[in-house]
Amino acid sequence: MIELLTGTSIQQTHSPTNQIAPQDSTDGLMHLLHIIGEFYAEGIDDHLMVALLLFVIIFDIILGVSCAWVYREYKSYKFRKGLVSHLSMFMVTALMYPLFVFAGLASGADSFIAAMVFAYGSSILANLARLGIHIPYIDEYVRNNIDTHKFEIKDSDTAEDIQRKRGNGKKKKKKKTK
C-alpha cells in the first residue's frame, strides 16, 4: 500500500480480479484514482448494494434534519456531528469499494455494506417513528428485538414527556405528602 501512495515501482499483474488497469504507466495516487474512475465509468449497475447504501445514507440525513426541525432541536454541533459522520461513511464507501473490487475482496465489502444498510435502516425507522410514521410489524419488531436504544420515545408520550425526556422541558414537580 505504501508503494501505491509513494509512487515507487509497482508491477502490474493482469489477473481476473484486477482487470481495471490503466493503459499508461501511472503509479501511486493517480493509479488509485484511475481505478475508481474506471469503476464508476462502467456504471454501478453490477453493485447495487453500494448504490443502496449511498441512497440510504442521504435519506437518513434528510430524515434526521426533518426530525430536528419538527422537534425544534436544531443545534449546529449536533448537525455537524451527524453530517460529518454520514458524509464520511458516504465518501469512504464511494472511494474504497472500487478498490476492494479491484483487489478481489468484493464479497467482504458487500457483507460490510449490508450491515451498514441495516444499521442505517434502523436509524431511518427510528426517525420515521419520531415523525409519526409507523411501519406495521417491522417497526415493532425492530423496536422490541433489534435496536431498542433508538426508540426511546414511546407512542403514548405527550409533547411534554418528550421534551422532559430530552432534558429540554420543565420537570414535573413532586407533590409533597405529610
Side-chain angles (χ1 to χ4, degrees):
M1 186 68 166
I2 302 263
E3 296 159 342
L4 282 174
L5 295 175
T6 58
T8 58
S9 65
I10 300 172
Q11 293 189 11
Q12 297 178 358
T13 59
H14 297 286
S15 66
T17 58
N18 57 1
Q19 295 175 357
I20 308 171
Q23 301 301 325
D24 55 348
S25 61
T26 57
D27 286 343
L29 186 60
M30 293 308 293
H31 182 71
L32 293 175
L33 292 176
H34 181 76
I35 293 169
I36 294 168
E38 287 292 319
F39 178 82
Y40 288 111
E42 291 178 6
I44 201 164
D45 298 339
D46 294 335
H47 307 282
L48 293 179
M49 287 297 289
V50 176
L52 177 66
L53 179 64
L54 299 180
F55 172 75
V56 165
I57 289 172
I58 291 170
F59 191 59
D60 192 35
I61 291 171
I62 291 169
L63 282 178
V65 170
S66 299
C67 283
W69 180 68
V70 166
Y71 287 104
R72 291 185 172 95
E73 56 183 24
Y74 200 76
K75 296 180 173 81
S76 63
Y77 73 91
K78 198 172 185 181
F79 176 73
R80 268 194 314 261
K81 180 182 172 190
L83 189 65
V84 166
S85 68
H86 284 55
L87 287 180
S88 63
M89 178 58 73
F90 184 92
M91 293 302 295
V92 165
T93 303
L95 294 176
M96 293 301 293
Y97 187 78
L99 299 176
F100 280 115
V101 170
F102 181 75
L105 301 171
S107 61
D110 284 340
S111 63
F112 171 75
I113 287 173
M116 293 310 299
V117 165
F118 286 121
Y120 277 106
S122 174
S123 177
I124 287 172
L125 283 175
N127 285 334
L128 286 173
R130 287 182 65 199
L131 290 173
I133 302 169
H134 298 283
I135 300 172
Y137 305 112
I138 296 173
D139 192 26
E140 285 286 324
Y141 184 78
V142 171
R143 178 186 304 237
N144 295 331
N145 299 318
I146 298 175
D147 211 359
T148 58
H149 74 279
K150 289 187 181 177
F151 291 95
E152 294 173 355
I153 298 172
K154 297 177 183 169
D155 295 337
S156 61
D157 288 345
T158 63
E160 291 177 37
D161 291 335
I162 293 169
Q163 292 297 324
R164 187 173 32 76
K165 284 182 179 181
R166 292 195 181 116
N168 298 334
K170 298 177 183 175
K171 295 181 180 180
K172 289 185 178 178
K173 295 180 181 179
K174 294 182 181 180
K175 294 181 181 180
K176 294 183 181 180
T177 57
K178 292 183 180 180

